[in-house]
């Protein structure tokens, strides 16, 4: 993602992508630099489609909806009749456990009360009171035992409170077989319904609420449908308004692009040629990128009508038109570094020199890296790097060498004459570089 913001690569086969309508639309949008309009159209389209999907879901077969309503109504009526409250199941289980073990609980409570208090002579409280009385007399002789007496008095108070609590607990123990049977039946009803819905008993209140909510939604589907249709119509208006703004921006950008590329074609040996971006916004199906059908058309010769790019341009013409488009759109590009990978393929002679001059001009405002085999282009560069491949001992290495001015002259001469570098080619190369630097 970072690389896409730093480097823009224009390959030698870029003209092939120009045959694709999506690529043509993308190129025009990039040139127009109206991302906010594109985002608005995309957002409105996605909301419109989501609402349309909801509408179709509600407009499903009536019999299916009626069957679902019948099932939901039956399920909610069962849960209504059960009327299970939050945490009721846990509370019922706790109460059931106490009532089922009432006799055991009562026996243990009575035994404890008897041992602590009931037997006047041998209960714990009586014996503790006697010890406190005896030791209090001794404390008058030996004061060191007073702390022990204080603790025994505290224990006596605690035991009395304990007895009181146990007596209350005895009164609270319920020994009602009829109520126990009712609780057991209630627990069984809860378990049966929980198994039916395949959930834990504590989850039944939430299931009840969920089913009731769905029943309400389906029962009021007609009202919801009316609301959704109204919402859909509003979103459709919003989408159309956003799409028309995008269309206007595209047409404005297309007008500028037409003029710039047509002028560039004249300099690239296509005198009288014309480039025209057609933006048709009528009768097209709304999509995520707007309502426009965008098509690049061209006339390679004066007096001919513009026709779709793929049908009228030859290979060489297409390469030059592609180069013109890349040159113009690159000038608008905010990306600091541009790489042109043999974009001059298919051109030569004076046209190649013009291509080189255009790239040199672009290099004054951007960092431009150009891979080329044409001396007319290479001679226009501000700097020259030679890429050389060497093979030795079954290994291949590729090295890049920066060239000084003399080395540049030799390299341009080699590109001009081939393997054998002549005095004439050296002189020609020096002249080309000198003229390029003077421009």
């Amino acid at each position: 993602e970072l690389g896409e913001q730093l480097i823009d690569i224009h390959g030698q086969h870029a003209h092939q992508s120009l045959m694709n309508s999506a690529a043509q639309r993308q190129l025009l949008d990039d040139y127009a630099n109206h991302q906010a309009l594109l985002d608005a159209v995309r957002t409105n389209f996605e909301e419109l489609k989501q609402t349309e999907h909801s509408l179709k879901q509600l407009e499903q077969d009536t019999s299916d909806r009626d069957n679902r309503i019948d099932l939901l109504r039956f399920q909610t009526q069962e849960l209504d009749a059960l009327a299970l409250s939050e945490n009721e199941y846990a509370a019922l289980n706790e109460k059931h456990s106490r009532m089922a073990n009432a006799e055991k609980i009562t026996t243990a409570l009575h035994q404890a009360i008897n041992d602590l208090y009931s037997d006047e002579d041998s209960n714990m409280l009586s014996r503790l009171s006697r010890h406190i009385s005896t030791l209090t007399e001794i404390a008058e002789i030996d004061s060191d035992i007073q702390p022990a007496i204080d603790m025994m008095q505290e224990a006596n108070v605690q035991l009395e409170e304990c007895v009181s609590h146990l007596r209350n607990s005895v009164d609270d123990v319920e020994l009602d077989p009829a109520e126990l049977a009712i609780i057991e039946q209630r627990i069984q009803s809860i378990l049966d319904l929980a198994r039916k819905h395949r959930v834990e008993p504590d989850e039944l209140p939430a299931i009840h609420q969920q089913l009731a909510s769905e029943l309400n939604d389906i029962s009021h589907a007609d009202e919801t449908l009316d609301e959704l249709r109204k919402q859909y119509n509003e979103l459709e208006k919003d989408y159309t308004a956003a799409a028309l703004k995008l269309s206007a921006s595209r047409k404005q950008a297309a007008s500028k692009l037409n003029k710039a590329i047509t002028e560039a074609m004249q300099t690239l040996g296509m005198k009288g040629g014309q480039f025209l971006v057609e933006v048709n916004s009528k009768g097209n199906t709304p999509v995520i990128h707007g309502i426009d059908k965008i098509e690049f058309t061209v006339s390679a010769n004066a007096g001919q009508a513009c026709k779709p790019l793929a049908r009228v341009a030859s290979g060489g013409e297409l390469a030059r038109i592609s180069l013109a488009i890349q040159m113009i759109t690159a000038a608008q590009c905010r990306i600091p570094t541009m790489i042109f990978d043999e974009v001059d393929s298919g051109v030569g002679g004076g046209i190649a020199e013009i291509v080189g001059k255009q790239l040199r001009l672009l290099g004054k405002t951007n960092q431009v890296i150009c891979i080329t085999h044409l001396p007319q282009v290479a001679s226009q560069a501000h700097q020259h790097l030679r890429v050389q491949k060497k093979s030795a001992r079954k290994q291949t290495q590729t090295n890049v060498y920066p060239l000084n001015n003399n080395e540049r002259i030799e390299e341009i001469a080699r590109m001009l004459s081939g393997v054998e570098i002549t005095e004439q080619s050296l002189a020609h190369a020096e002249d080309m570089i000198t003229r390029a630097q003077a421009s």
Side-chain angles (χ1 to χ4, degrees):
E1 291 177 2
L2 178 61
E4 290 176 355
Q5 298 180 50
L6 298 176
I7 299 174
D8 190 21
I9 300 176
H10 301 261
Q12 60 177 311
H13 302 296
H15 59 276
Q16 296 175 359
S17 68
L18 288 177
M19 303 299 101
N20 186 288
S21 59
Q24 294 177 2
R25 184 192 68 249
Q26 183 67 52
L27 191 148
L28 177 61
D29 285 337
D30 289 345
Y31 181 77
N33 193 27
H34 49 207
Q35 189 60 44
L37 294 177
L38 287 167
D39 291 342
V41 169
R42 182 181 295 105
T43 300
N44 282 315
F45 179 80
E46 289 172 349
E47 291 178 356
L48 187 66
K49 283 300 167 183
Q50 186 174 0
T51 304
E52 184 181 24
H53 176 72
S54 300
L55 270 172
K56 289 181 179 178
Q57 286 291 103
L58 279 177
E59 291 171 346
Q60 60 185 332
D61 186 71
T62 305
S63 62
D64 289 344
R65 189 170 60 185
D66 290 343
N67 291 336
R68 182 60 179 165
I69 288 175
D70 290 340
L71 175 60
L72 289 170
R73 191 167 287 147
F74 174 75
Q75 291 176 327
T76 52
Q77 285 174 352
E78 278 189 322
L79 290 164
D80 287 341
L82 184 66
L84 182 65
S85 59
E86 292 287 342
N87 302 318
E88 181 186 350
Y89 180 72
L92 284 172
N93 272 326
E94 185 179 346
K95 187 172 184 180
H96 177 270
S97 181
R98 288 199 307 270
M99 293 186 71
N101 293 280
E103 186 175 348
K104 180 179 179 180
I105 294 170
T106 303
T107 300
L109 291 174
H110 281 304
Q111 184 64 50
I113 292 170
N114 288 334
D115 289 346
L116 291 171
Y117 194 79
S118 296
D119 193 334
E120 291 289 340
D121 296 326
S122 60
N123 68 60
M124 291 183 186
L125 282 168
S126 297
R127 292 163 64 187
L128 185 57
S129 296
R130 288 198 297 271
H131 289 310
I132 291 172
S133 178
T134 301
L135 291 173
T136 299
E137 295 177 2
I138 298 299
E140 294 177 359
I141 302 171
D142 185 359
S143 59
D144 289 344
I145 67 171
Q146 186 59 47
I149 296 171
D150 294 339
M151 286 185 281
M152 293 176 71
Q153 288 174 333
E154 291 177 8
N156 187 64
V157 173
Q158 293 288 332
L159 284 173
E160 288 179 347
E161 291 181 1
C162 175
V163 170
S164 176
H165 185 80
L166 289 174
R167 284 174 173 168
N168 291 334
S169 296
V170 170
D171 294 338
D172 290 340
V173 175
E174 299 180 52
L175 295 168
D176 187 346
E179 184 177 1
L180 179 61
I182 292 172
I183 291 175
E184 288 176 343
Q185 181 59 45
R186 175 71 173 167
I187 290 174
Q188 189 59 48
S189 297
I190 294 171
L191 289 172
D192 289 343
L193 209 50
R195 277 194 295 270
K196 190 172 184 179
H197 289 278
R198 298 179 181 179
V199 297
E200 294 297 323
D202 290 333
E203 298 177 52
L204 282 175
I207 292 294
H208 189 186
Q209 184 177 358
Q210 177 184 330
L211 294 176
S213 177
E214 184 181 353
L215 177 60
N216 180 69
D217 290 343
I218 296 180
S219 299
H220 295 83
D222 292 337
E223 297 174 16
T224 307
L225 270 172
D226 290 340
E227 185 63 31
L228 276 175
R229 289 191 182 108
K230 182 179 178 182
Q231 182 180 343
Y232 181 84
N233 291 333
E234 291 297 323
L235 288 171
E236 194 172 32
K237 291 178 182 178
D238 292 343
Y239 171 82
T240 301
L244 288 174
K245 286 183 181 179
L246 179 60
S247 288
S249 179
R250 281 171 171 165
K251 289 172 182 177
Q252 186 178 5
S255 178
K256 295 179 181 178
L257 192 60
N258 293 340
K259 182 179 178 182
I261 294 177
T262 297
E263 290 177 355
M265 288 170 62
Q266 313 308 307
T267 65
L268 292 174
M270 301 180 72
K271 292 291 183 180
Q274 184 182 7
F275 181 84
L276 181 65
V277 179
E278 292 187 352
V279 181
N280 180 8
S281 55
K282 293 182 179 180
N284 298 320
T285 303
V287 290
I288 197 167
H289 48 71
I291 56 175
D292 302 317
K293 181 180 178 182
I294 296 166
E295 188 170 44
F296 286 7
T297 66
V298 66
S299 168
N301 302 297
Q304 293 181 347
C306 288
K307 294 182 180 180
L309 190 63
R311 293 195 324 196
V312 299
S314 65
E317 289 172 337
L318 189 58
R320 279 181 279 173
I321 293 169
S322 172
L323 181 59
I325 292 173
Q326 292 180 68
M327 295 293 296
I328 298 302
T329 55
Q332 301 292 325
C333 184
R334 297 183 180 182
I335 299 174
T337 298
M338 283 170 285
I339 298 176
F340 290 89
D341 184 9
E342 297 189 41
V343 294
D344 48 20
S345 176
V347 300
I351 304 301
E353 184 176 354
I354 293 172
V355 171
K357 288 180 178 180
Q358 292 289 336
L359 290 170
R360 183 179 180 86
L361 184 63
L362 189 60
K364 293 182 179 180
T365 56
N366 298 72
Q367 176 175 289
V368 177
I369 299 172
C370 179
I371 294 90
T372 182
H373 294 286
L374 297 180
Q376 296 95 326
V377 175
S379 63
Q380 297 289 334
H382 297 91
Q383 297 181 37
H384 197 150
L385 305 174
R386 183 178 63 208
V387 182
Q388 191 172 26
K389 186 183 293 184
K390 291 183 179 180
S391 298
R393 296 180 182 179
K394 297 183 180 180
Q395 289 187 340
T396 302
Q397 288 185 333
T398 301
N399 298 305
V400 181
Y401 303 96
L403 304 184
N404 59 34
N405 191 59
N406 290 332
E407 290 171 328
R408 282 193 67 191
I409 293 172
E410 290 179 4
E411 184 64 20
I412 298 297
R414 186 193 63 77
M415 296 172 74
L416 284 166
S417 59
V419 177
E420 183 179 351
I421 300 176
T422 64
E423 290 297 327
Q424 291 86 348
S425 62
L426 285 169
H428 188 188
E430 185 175 7
D431 180 61
M432 292 174 69
I433 292 174
T434 301
R435 284 191 289 111
Q437 292 173 346
S439 62

